[in-house]
Structure formats: structure tokens, C-alpha cells
Amino acid sequence: MFEDLESYMLPFFSKTFLDIECLGCGLQRSFLLLINGHFFDAFKMYPAIFTLILLIIFAIFNIFKKVKNANKFIGRLAYINLSIIIVNYLIKISI
């Protein structure tokens, strides 16, 4: 259904010109896999995809309906996200 979206993906400067992966490499493809229903493949491509989507949804929800201790929850979720992204990046560059 969304296979044609791959032609609209933005090229990453660091990967295209320097051949160096960045912390976000794989995010677009992972999201495309996710909306096509390939959940495990999306996770393999970019492990932080699910926590990142949860973070975005909660942050948007919090804009419209204030949640008690939302900043603490968003901060912890952001920390978890960043940790997953960094660990994934270190694994990618070491292999």
C-alpha cells in the first residue's frame, strides 16, 4: 500500500556523502516497514521506533489534555529512547 513512499525518502547527508551512519539511519525505512505492517522488520531496522512513536503520541496527547507528572514521564521515555538509539548505533558501527 505505501511501497511508493520509498521514492520520497530524504537522503541523509552523512550516509550519502561521507558514507558514515548517523544516529537516525534507518528511521525512515523502519517507519515505512511499520506502516506496511512489518513490525518485527521495523524493529530490526531501528529498535527505537516503537518507543519513539510512544513518546511522540504521549507528547501530542499532553498538549491537548494535560497529564499529571507528564514532564517526568516524557523525560524518562526520552532517556530510554536515547539509550536505545545510542546502543543501536554503537552496535551498528562495531559490526
Side-chain angles (χ1 to χ4, degrees):
M1 179 177 178
F2 297 102
E3 288 83 16
D4 296 336
L5 290 177
E6 191 167 344
S7 61
Y8 294 103
M9 287 186 183
L10 299 172
F12 282 93
F13 176 80
S14 63
K15 184 71 173 175
T16 305
F17 297 110
L18 304 174
D19 200 31
I20 299 171
E21 296 220 1
C22 66
L23 294 173
C25 278
L27 179 61
Q28 292 180 98
R29 285 195 191 333
S30 177
F31 186 72
L32 187 60
L33 286 167
L34 188 65
I35 61 175
N36 281 314
H38 304 285
F39 302 110
F40 183 69
D41 292 334
F43 178 77
K44 282 185 357 186
M45 176 69 65
Y46 197 76
I49 187 73
F50 296 110
T51 55
L52 187 60
I53 289 173
L54 179 64
L55 175 64
I56 291 168
I57 289 171
F58 185 78
I60 292 171
F61 178 77
N62 189 49
I63 290 171
F64 297 107
K65 180 147 177 86
K66 297 296 179 194
V67 177
K68 187 178 178 183
N69 296 325
N71 289 340
K72 186 184 288 187
F73 182 72
I74 290 172
R76 288 181 180 164
L77 198 52
Y79 177 76
I80 290 168
N81 242 323
L82 187 59
S83 300
I84 293 170
I85 291 169
I86 290 172
V87 168
N88 180 50
Y89 178 74
L90 292 173
I91 291 170
K92 275 186 184 179
I93 63 171
S94 68
I95 293 178

